[in-house]
Amino acid sequence: MTLLFEIKDLTGGYSGTNVVFDVSAKIDRGGILGVFGRNGVGKSTLARLANGGLPPSGGQILLDGDRIEELPAFMRRELGIGFMPQESLVFDNLSVRENLYIGTIGESPGLYFDRFPVLARRLDQIAGAMSGGERKILSFVRSMIEDTRLVILDEPSEGVQSENINLMATCLKERAAKGAGIMIFEQNLGFLASVADHFLGLDAGRAVYSEPSSNSSETEIRAILAL
Amino acid sequence: MSFALILNLVWHVGTLALIALGLAIVFGKLRILNMAHGEFVMIGAYSPVITSSMGLPGWLQLPVCLLTVGLVALAVERTVVCRLYGRMFDSLLATWGISILLREAVELIFGRGYQSVSLPIPGTVQIFGTSYPAYRIAIIGCIALGFAILAWWNSRSMVATRIKAMVENPGLAQAVGINTGRLSAWAFVFGCCTAGLAGLALAPTIRVEPMMGLDYLIKSFFALVVGGLGTLEGLGLGAGIIAGTQSLVGAALNQTYGYLAVLSLSILFLWLKPDGIHSALR
């Protein structure tokens, strides 16, 4: 497998206060990196540093070998980095259809409508009328159908019914099998373990664990989460 | 009712709709309470004054108008307005200051006195036995064509959706690939340019002076209040009701009563139907 995305000694945070320190990680084409850690250890900050929503204060980000850490989010999206945020994750005032088609699309959403029929039923309703779990599904599907080579997802399963979490896992594995890289930030360890081929553990803004899934022990991961 | 009165009504509605269109984009979409909107009408109206003072041929009025208004609008957006998205009250204060600055700047260059602008198309045409200025007929035709093109384009392009998305959630808009800085700057410049074009169209029919913008700002806000924000239909309705009331009551009684009628109507709408007749706000 070939290297797609790399972060090197990434440091950053909000207006001068760093929250993430010297984090490094690699994602191959077709690889799924699962990032775990307790609440408030810097997962969302790292996700936004990777997507470009926050500028880093140090370190490098490389996509296919090109340095991109100085680029704003919309340029990283043009280069093929998709993002599903944890909060404010859909456009509430736009219809479900407009939410799906606002970016450039790589594949038709037909398959996803079969899996998540709630989207097909509500295409012309505004996204703000949906429940929290349904908004997660809408944002998730939007990030899946975009023409991206790397998808960053911040807590996609939070508040989603378990059968739909299983479908999300299927979608992620298929997307990776087609050559995309996936970076997924999760609290749901079962979901993370079902998709990730590499684990990255964060604590107090630093990477404290980095192992391929074949070499990971659940007790070690649980120990980090319970620190 | 004479046919000339109807044509006058169409003239007032059309020019007001053009000014209110810009405000509908800047206020309705970008959520910037642009108190300097009328000053862009004024700058547009000065563009024939600019071309004649520089000895340029008359056909350059249109490009000079777009260039001047566009550059001033771009400068205002990039220096001040770009910092004020999502801060509507602050935008009111800042653009109020800008409106004073623009009025004073124009006064400094051209003086306080009235400028007269000659009609580019002189003469009258006969329509249904009524003679009416050919210039106004040509402008009414251009405005109608412009709105038809805009409605067609608006139904096909995602730009209105992208602007709505950007204003609601700029972070997510960037993450789906929208260049928010460029989109908001273009939307603001486009909105100011429609005001400038209306000013250019109106220039030969009114007294051009630095203070002229305020009246148009107020009337176009009233048109948006009455018609509602977010749809072209509401915009047309609002402009029709405001300009229609003013010119009909004004013709029947006098201009003061016409203005009073518009004010009373707008207060009634703000009180009883604050979202307007045809609002798309949800």
Side-chain angles (χ1 to χ4, degrees):
Chain A
M1 286 207 276
T2 53
L3 184 63
L4 172 70
F5 185 69
E6 185 174 11
I7 56 181
K8 285 183 186 167
D9 304 322
L10 197 63
T11 298
Y14 305 85
S15 53
T17 310
N18 287 336
V19 176
V20 165
F21 305 92
D22 301 320
V23 173
S24 298
K26 288 180 182 181
I27 300 173
D28 288 326
R29 243 170 261 285
I32 302 184
L33 175 69
V35 186
F36 64 92
R38 291 168 304 144
N39 269 329
V41 298
K43 292 199 301 297
S44 282
T45 307
L46 180 60
R48 293 186 58 195
L49 286 168
N51 121 279
L54 284 174
S57 53
Q60 296 180 2
I61 305 174
L62 297 100
L63 181 71
D64 275 326
D66 296 323
R67 298 267 298 267
I68 60 160
E69 69 271 7
E70 301 288 333
L71 301 182
F74 77 88
M75 282 190 187
R76 296 193 201 181
R77 171 64 188 80
E78 279 168 18
L79 292 175
I81 299 184
F83 184 51
M84 171 184 172
Q86 183 184 9
E87 306 280 336
S88 309
L89 71 175
V90 297
F91 298 108
D92 287 343
N93 289 330
L94 302 190
S95 69
V96 169
R97 188 195 307 275
E98 287 170 330
N99 264 283
L100 288 172
Y101 288 98
I102 192 144
T104 45
I105 301 299
E107 61 173 308
S108 126
L111 169 72
Y112 296 93
F113 288 164
D114 294 341
R115 286 185 181 154
F116 306 104
V118 62
L119 295 185
R121 277 202 308 273
R122 294 187 156 214
L123 268 181
D124 292 310
Q125 292 180 20
I126 59 163
M130 298 176 109
S131 73
E134 289 165 345
R135 278 181 233 197
K136 285 277 181 187
I137 290 170
L138 171 57
S139 195
F140 175 79
V141 171
R142 193 260 307 147
S143 75
M144 285 292 105
I145 62 175
E146 284 177 336
D147 61 342
T148 46
R149 24 184 177 162
L150 175 80
V151 188
I152 301 165
L153 305 104
D154 193 1
E155 305 279 1
S157 81
E158 192 184 31
V160 177
Q161 294 172 327
S162 59
E163 61 264 43
N164 284 332
I165 297 180
N166 292 338
L167 287 169
M168 280 182 167
T170 310
C171 297
L172 286 168
K173 282 187 272 193
E174 280 175 4
R175 192 73 160 72
K178 287 183 202 155
I182 310 273
M183 187 177 195
I184 178 167
F185 297 74
E186 261 297 338
Q187 299 265 22
N188 180 338
L189 207 54
F191 173 49
L192 201 63
S194 74
V195 294
D197 56 34
H198 195 103
F199 291 104
L200 180 73
L202 287 187
D203 193 44
R206 292 177 190 280
V208 292
Y209 185 91
S210 177
E211 292 290 343
S213 53
S214 55
N215 203 19
S216 291
S217 90
E218 200 180 325
T219 44
E220 271 185 280
I221 290 174
R222 290 207 180 278
I224 289 165
L225 285 170
L227 263 178
Chain B
M1 201 195 308
S2 79
F3 196 65
L5 194 65
I6 296 174
L7 284 174
N8 258 333
L9 193 73
V10 175
W11 163 260
H12 287 299
V13 173
T15 49
L16 179 60
L18 191 55
I19 301 169
L21 169 69
L23 198 65
I25 295 166
V26 172
F27 172 53
K29 301 283 181 198
L30 297 177
R31 315 304 288 166
I32 292 291
L33 257 169
N34 186 10
M35 300 304 282
H37 194 67
E39 274 56 51
F40 289 101
V41 179
M42 182 264 291
I43 295 172
Y46 267 89
S47 43
V49 181
I50 298 173
T51 50
S52 64
S53 71
M54 292 169 76
L56 296 169
W59 63 268
L60 275 176
Q61 285 176 11
L62 181 65
V64 164
C65 170
L66 287 175
L67 202 67
T68 316
V69 174
L71 285 178
V72 173
L74 189 65
V76 167
E77 203 278 343
R78 286 290 86 191
T79 53
V80 178
V81 171
C82 68
R83 297 160 216 278
L84 298 174
Y85 293 112
R87 295 164 58 188
M88 200 189 278
F89 185 70
D90 297 348
S91 76
L92 181 148
L93 291 178
T95 55
W96 188 45
I98 289 167
S99 75
I100 297 171
L101 187 80
L102 292 176
R103 282 200 295 273
E104 295 296 324
V106 169
E107 194 180 315
L108 207 65
I109 301 168
F110 296 102
R112 188 175 289 179
Y114 296 140
Q115 308 276 343
S116 66
V117 172
S118 59
L119 273 174
I121 306 171
T124 58
V125 285
Q126 290 286 326
I127 302 175
F128 298 119
T130 310
S131 62
Y132 197 74
Y135 173 73
R136 293 196 183 204
I137 295 287
I139 294 294
I140 289 170
C142 289
I143 292 175
L145 183 68
F147 268 95
I149 293 171
L150 186 74
W152 171 79
W153 177 77
N154 191 40
S155 68
R156 297 171 58 94
S157 110
M158 284 283 282
V159 171
T161 309
R162 290 163 80 87
I163 292 174
K164 213 159 126 186
M166 167 181 78
V167 172
E168 185 204 317
N169 189 338
L172 184 59
Q174 283 242 341
V176 300
I178 297 173
N179 183 346
T180 52
R182 195 174 65 188
L183 182 60
S184 50
W186 275 116
F188 186 83
V189 168
F190 182 86
C192 294
C193 280
T194 70
L197 285 175
L200 174 64
L202 285 163
T205 70
I206 51 166
R207 287 184 293 200
V208 175
E209 44 100 13
M211 298 294 290
M212 63 175 270
L214 193 63
D215 192 34
Y216 294 105
L217 170 77
I218 292 169
K219 271 197 289 186
S220 44
F221 265 119
F222 286 167
L224 296 186
V225 164
V226 170
L229 288 170
T231 62
L232 280 173
E233 293 91 326
L235 177 76
L237 265 172
I241 291 170
I242 292 298
T245 307
Q246 186 170 22
S247 60
L248 288 181
V249 176
L253 304 165
N254 66 45
Q255 276 308 319
T256 312
Y257 281 103
Y259 212 71
L260 201 65
V262 165
L263 270 172
S264 319
L265 198 68
S266 306
I267 291 167
L268 273 177
F269 263 90
L270 275 174
W271 178 23
L272 300 171
K273 202 163 174 16
D275 282 343
I277 297 173
H278 207 301
S279 171
L281 286 188
R282 291 174 290 210

